Amino acid sequence: MAAGGNLSRTERKAAARAEILQQEEQRDRRRQVSRILKKPVAERNPEESLLLSECEDIVRELERRCKKREGLRRRQEEVCDEPEELKRKVIELAAAVQSAKHLVIYTGAGISTAASIPDYRGPNGVWTLLQKGRSIRATDLSEAEPTLTHMSIACLHKHNLVQHVVSQNCDGLHLRSGLPQAAISELHGNMYIEVCTSCTPNREYVRVFDVTERTALHRHHTGRMCHKCGAQLRDTIVHFGEKGTLREPLNWEAATEAASKADVILCLGSSLKVLKKYPHLWCMSKPPSRRPKLYIVNLQWTPKDDLAALKLHGKCDDVMRLLMEELGLEIPCYDRTKDPIFSLAIPLSPDEEGSHSRRPVAPPWSLEEAQMQEQEQEPASQLSLSLSGGWFGRGCAKGSKRKKVN
């Protein structure tokens, strides 16, 4: 047979046919071996055992694949610590919080699931469902309120136990919990904020509705204009595959500065698969002995588990409720009348009123009107909320005292 390019057309076709037949034979052999490996050893006949001994390379490959699939499956499983074990771990975490000189909290989608906002990699997470070929339903974020975890973090910051919060979430619930904007780095943006990048410094517009209705990957203009210079406004969201360039609300400078000063980092509700890619947040340039101690609260495996001083397998609200109890701090209720979004929001100009169709966050006075109507329809003894107390308790911890806000 001639070599290389000197093969005749007939010889090339024969060689291609032989290669196809060989590949089909290997696939059949792999399927046979796979079926045999699924059988218990005691149920394999001599012919099957002989085939396995003749196909050691295929056996090793299939066993490696099986082990990898099993490892991935275990990583996706949600694990909960037993109540006594979780309590013991929370006591250890409380001691770390109290002794920390500079505590920084990193938060992910897991802290907002209690507000009916789906996470990404949980059993019903966005990516999990998409990988299974299932559709994901649209979520109305206008009804979401800060969770017990959000309110606990704001309280810890108020008592100087937390110095800074770095969040991957775009839902704006940290801001709405009362956490000061200077204390938050929203690395992936805020759905309630649009900015004018033509103004120097960038002019920020906080809205009471989701500004991302017309935006998408690499397409960020919201369709509204700057009230000062007339330039187009853009959203602040950083999509997967994009690099965040806005100074605010991403606040990368404050995030890296906080990480460099941190002696303790507490990660809440994050898989850390994205955050791990930001080396400045983990002080990787420092020797291991000088890096901050890492505490992780998450139901699933994270790539930082082996580096953690403590891993708590529990829901964020459950852990934070125990932590605040251990610290002797009362968890404040979310009070819509004190929600900063209403005082920070810039109203639309008259010609912008029809520029969006997203439902806005209901202002507290509209809730009061609804409450008055409900009060007229129901006996006073059945009311679950009291207007005279000046609070709305949907965000309260179960069993905690509802505190009147003066």
Side-chain angles (χ1 to χ4, degrees):
M1 180 182 291
N6 295 326
L7 289 174
S8 68
R9 183 171 179 271
T10 303
E11 290 171 331
R12 289 197 301 271
K13 288 179 67 175
R17 190 180 301 111
E19 184 178 354
I20 292 172
L21 291 173
Q22 185 180 10
Q23 290 175 351
E24 289 180 353
E25 183 180 341
Q26 288 177 344
R27 280 194 292 269
D28 289 340
R29 184 65 59 90
R30 187 176 284 104
R31 280 193 288 267
Q32 285 181 301
V33 172
S34 178
R35 283 195 295 268
I36 296 171
L37 289 175
K38 291 177 182 177
K39 287 185 176 182
V41 177
E43 296 181 9
R44 298 172 187 168
N45 59 43
E47 291 80 7
E48 292 173 336
S49 299
L50 178 61
L51 179 61
L52 293 181
S53 64
E54 293 174 348
C55 303
E56 291 182 354
D57 290 344
I58 296 176
V59 170
R60 280 195 296 269
E61 180 188 353
L62 292 175
E63 288 178 342
R64 180 183 60 81
R65 289 183 180 182
C66 182
K67 186 176 180 181
K68 184 177 181 179
R69 282 195 301 269
E70 180 63 21
L72 291 173
R73 187 188 65 79
R74 284 199 302 269
R75 288 182 176 185
Q76 293 175 346
E77 286 181 346
E78 291 191 342
V79 179
C80 292
D81 288 329
E82 292 296 326
E84 291 185 3
E85 175 69 3
L86 188 63
K87 178 69 174 178
R88 182 193 66 78
K89 290 182 177 180
V90 168
I91 293 173
E92 184 178 341
L93 174 61
V97 170
Q98 288 175 315
S99 61
K101 296 178 180 177
H102 200 95
L103 170 61
V104 181
I105 293 182
Y106 296 170
T107 65
I111 74 166
S112 295
T113 52
S116 300
I117 298 176
D119 58 13
Y120 290 94
R121 294 179 172 87
N124 296 308
V126 173
W127 302 140
T128 305
L129 294 179
L130 289 175
Q131 285 176 349
K132 293 179 179 179
R134 293 164 60 183
S135 60
I136 53 176
R137 61 181 180 84
T139 304
D140 185 1
L141 300 184
S142 68
E143 296 182 357
E145 293 181 349
T147 66
L148 181 148
T149 298
H150 289 98
M151 301 308 296
S152 298
I153 292 172
C155 180
L156 291 173
H157 180 267
K158 182 179 179 180
H159 286 82
N160 296 316
L161 291 172
V162 170
Q163 278 61 55
H164 199 75
V165 176
V166 179
S167 181
Q168 297 170 261
N169 301 338
C170 316
D171 52 35
L173 294 182
H174 278 305
L175 180 63
R176 294 182 58 195
S177 72
L179 196 64
Q181 282 185 286
I184 320 169
S185 292
E186 296 174 297
L187 302 184
H188 297 157
N190 186 316
M191 58 179 270
Y192 293 112
I193 298 177
E194 52 188 347
V195 298
C196 173
T197 54
S198 296
C199 288
T200 305
N202 291 352
R203 190 174 298 274
E204 190 175 273
Y205 291 79
V206 178
R207 309 294 193 185
V208 293
F209 58 88
D210 180 1
V211 304
T212 66
E213 183 175 3
R214 301 181 182 181
T215 66
L217 178 68
H218 303 310
R219 195 174 73 244
H220 293 278
H221 288 147
T222 63
R224 287 171 288 276
M225 303 297 177
C226 177
H227 297 176
K228 181 71 174 179
C229 71
Q232 291 193 71
L233 299 181
R234 58 154 293 169
D235 70 7
T236 61
I237 304 303
V238 180
H239 295 274
F240 287 96
E242 293 181 333
K243 183 177 180 180
T245 57
L246 295 174
R247 182 179 178 87
E248 298 292 345
L250 279 56
N251 206 5
W252 264 107
E253 184 177 343
T256 53
E257 182 182 354
S260 67
K261 294 179 180 178
D263 58 340
V264 173
I265 293 175
L266 172 59
C267 299
L268 295 172
S270 173
S271 69
L272 301 181
K273 290 182 179 179
V274 174
L275 283 183
K276 73 171 185 178
K277 298 176 182 178
Y278 304 136
H280 293 302
L281 295 182
W282 307 103
C283 305
M284 298 307 291
S285 59
K286 294 182 180 180
S289 60
R290 294 182 57 199
R291 294 173 192 166
K293 289 186 177 180
L294 182 60
Y295 294 80
I296 300 174
V297 179
N298 204 52
L299 292 169
Q300 295 175 311
W301 171 90
T302 83
K304 293 288 184 180
D305 284 358
D306 292 339
L307 301 176
L310 183 67
K311 171 71 180 289
L312 296 87
H313 296 93
K315 293 183 178 180
C316 293
D317 278 7
D318 294 340
V319 171
M320 293 306 291
R321 183 183 292 108
L322 292 171
L323 176 62
M324 297 296 279
E325 180 182 326
E326 190 67 27
L327 295 173
L329 297 175
E330 185 174 4
I331 303 171
C333 297
Y334 168 67
D335 181 355
R336 192 170 287 232
T337 64
K338 304 290 185 181
D339 193 325
I341 197 170
F342 298 111
S343 60
L344 293 170
I346 297 176
L348 296 174
S349 61
D351 59 333
E352 291 177 329
E353 289 297 337
S355 64
H356 75 96
S357 61
R358 295 287 173 88
R359 177 191 288 180
V361 178
W365 49 88
S366 68
L367 290 180
E368 289 181 7
E369 291 173 0
Q371 197 69 28
M372 291 293 289
Q373 292 176 0
E374 183 180 342
Q375 190 173 14
E376 291 174 358
Q377 296 172 0
E378 297 183 11
S381 60
Q382 294 181 3
L383 287 175
S384 60
L385 297 176
S386 171
L387 287 173
S388 60
W391 50 262
F392 296 87
R394 286 180 62 187
C396 290
K398 293 180 179 179
S400 67
K401 295 180 180 178
R402 285 172 170 164
K403 185 178 179 181
K404 179 176 178 179
V405 178
N406 296 320

